[in-house]
Amino acid sequence: MTDSLQVLMERLQARFADTLLRCKLDREEITLEVPTDKAVDCFTALRDEPEFAFEQLIDLCGVDYAAYGDTEWATDETTYKGFSRGVVERAIGRGAPALSYIRDKTVAGEGRFAVVYHLLSITRNERLRVRVFAPDSELPVVQSVYPIWASADWFEREAFDLFGIIFEGHPDLRRILTDYGFVGHPFRKDFPLIGNVEMRYDPERERVVYQPVTIEPRVLVPRVIRKDHRYRVKPPQEDSADA
C-alpha cells in the first residue's frame, strides 16, 4: 500500500508542482494543501484527468485552527492539593481572556479557517485529502466545489452553518443544522461553550420562546492518567514464568 501511495504522491507533485503549498504522506494518507485561488482548477484536474480520476467527494468539513496544538490542562497525576488546573484561560467557558488568546494565536499568513476535502477514486481505488485555507480569518471565503461534485451541497451548508465559512458559488447556502434565526457558528473555538440563548415552552404564550442562557460557565475536571501496577508492561520473561 505504501509503495502505491508513494507513486501517487510523486504523480501529484509532478502534475501540480506550481500549485501545491504542501504535499505530505503520513500514516498511509496523502494530504495536499492548495491555495484558494487555484483550488477549483486543481479539483477539476483531480476529477477529470485519467491518472487521478477522483470521481467522488466523500466528505467535506471545516476546521478552526485557533489555538491549534495548545492544551489548557497539564495534568498527569493528582497531588495533595487536588487536581492541577489550567493556568491560561483558553476555553471560552472560562472567561473573556480566552477570546483574546484565541484571536492572538491565529497563525499569520496561514489563516484560521480551512476546508478539508476527502476524495475517492473508484476507478483507481485511491483516496486523497485536500486542504484549502480561507485567506481572511474575519470573513472566511472559499470557492464552492458543488459544480464539480454535487455531493458537496449539504457538506458545504454544514461547514457554513457550524464554522461560518462562505462557499462562493454555492446555489443555496443556508443553515442546515441550527435553528432558524440562530446567531453565531457553534463549532468556532470562540463560541461560548454554554451558548448564547436557550429556548423553552411558555405555557402563557402557548409557544416556544427564546431567552438568555441560564447555565453558568464551568470547567470540567480532566481525566487523570495514573501510572500504577495495572498499566505496567511485563517483561517477556515474566510472561513466560506466569505461563
Side-chain angles (χ1 to χ4, degrees):
M1 177 62 73
T2 305
D3 292 341
S4 62
L5 289 175
Q6 186 66 38
V7 171
L8 173 59
M9 187 171 71
E10 291 174 358
R11 285 193 280 116
L12 290 166
Q13 290 173 328
R15 170 62 179 83
F16 302 104
D18 299 331
T19 302
L20 293 181
L21 299 177
R22 294 182 183 88
C23 184
K24 183 179 181 181
L25 173 60
D26 185 30
R27 295 175 177 83
E28 297 190 353
E29 294 182 342
I30 298 176
T31 301
L32 300 185
E33 186 175 324
V34 298
T36 308
D37 57 344
K38 301 292 183 61
V40 170
D41 293 339
C42 180
F43 285 132
T44 303
L46 288 172
R47 183 195 63 179
D48 294 343
E49 296 183 7
E51 60 267 34
F52 302 117
F54 288 100
E55 307 100 333
Q56 187 173 358
L57 171 71
I58 59 175
D59 189 26
L60 178 158
C61 65
V63 183
D64 182 356
Y65 281 97
Y68 176 73
D70 290 340
T71 179
E72 184 177 15
W73 299 96
T75 302
D76 293 325
E77 58 186 8
T78 57
T79 68
Y80 70 95
K81 295 182 179 179
F83 292 100
S84 60
R85 301 290 180 176
V87 294
V88 179
E89 296 183 358
R90 297 177 183 174
I92 186 59
R94 298 193 63 194
L99 267 176
S100 59
Y101 175 82
I102 288 176
R103 289 168 181 165
D104 294 343
K105 192 63 179 178
T106 302
V107 180
E110 188 172 64
R112 171 179 170 181
F113 296 100
V115 182
V116 178
Y117 307 80
H118 292 268
L119 310 181
L120 171 65
S121 173
I122 301 174
T123 302
R124 306 182 64 88
N125 190 25
E126 294 175 335
R127 296 175 184 267
L128 179 66
R129 180 191 296 114
V130 183
R131 181 172 62 175
V132 178
F133 272 94
D136 187 349
S137 297
E138 295 298 323
L139 183 63
V141 179
V142 299
Q143 289 291 321
S144 172
V145 296
Y146 174 81
I148 303 174
W149 297 287
S151 60
D153 186 359
W154 284 14
F155 292 148
E156 292 184 343
R157 286 180 59 188
E158 180 179 311
F160 163 71
D161 191 358
L162 300 180
F163 291 94
I165 300 173
I166 298 173
F167 292 88
E168 193 171 16
H170 190 284
D172 187 23
L173 195 61
R174 295 177 291 128
R175 291 184 181 269
I176 192 172
L177 294 176
T178 56
D179 197 6
Y180 298 106
F182 190 90
V183 177
H185 304 283
F187 275 19
R188 288 190 174 190
K189 297 288 182 64
D190 52 4
F191 188 84
L193 297 179
I194 60 173
N196 292 312
V197 297
E198 63 186 21
M199 65 180 185
R200 64 176 177 84
Y201 179 77
D202 189 326
E204 296 182 359
R205 302 181 186 180
E206 297 184 346
R207 64 180 178 87
V208 172
V209 297
Y210 288 87
Q211 63 186 29
V213 65
T214 57
I215 302 174
E216 291 294 328
R218 63 209 185 269
V219 178
L220 302 180
V221 176
R223 179 174 66 92
V224 177
I225 301 175
R226 304 182 185 276
K227 299 178 182 178
D228 57 27
H229 67 281
R230 293 174 296 175
Y231 308 105
R232 184 172 66 90
V233 179
K234 291 184 179 181
Q237 58 268 25
E238 291 188 23
D239 293 336
S240 302
D242 293 341

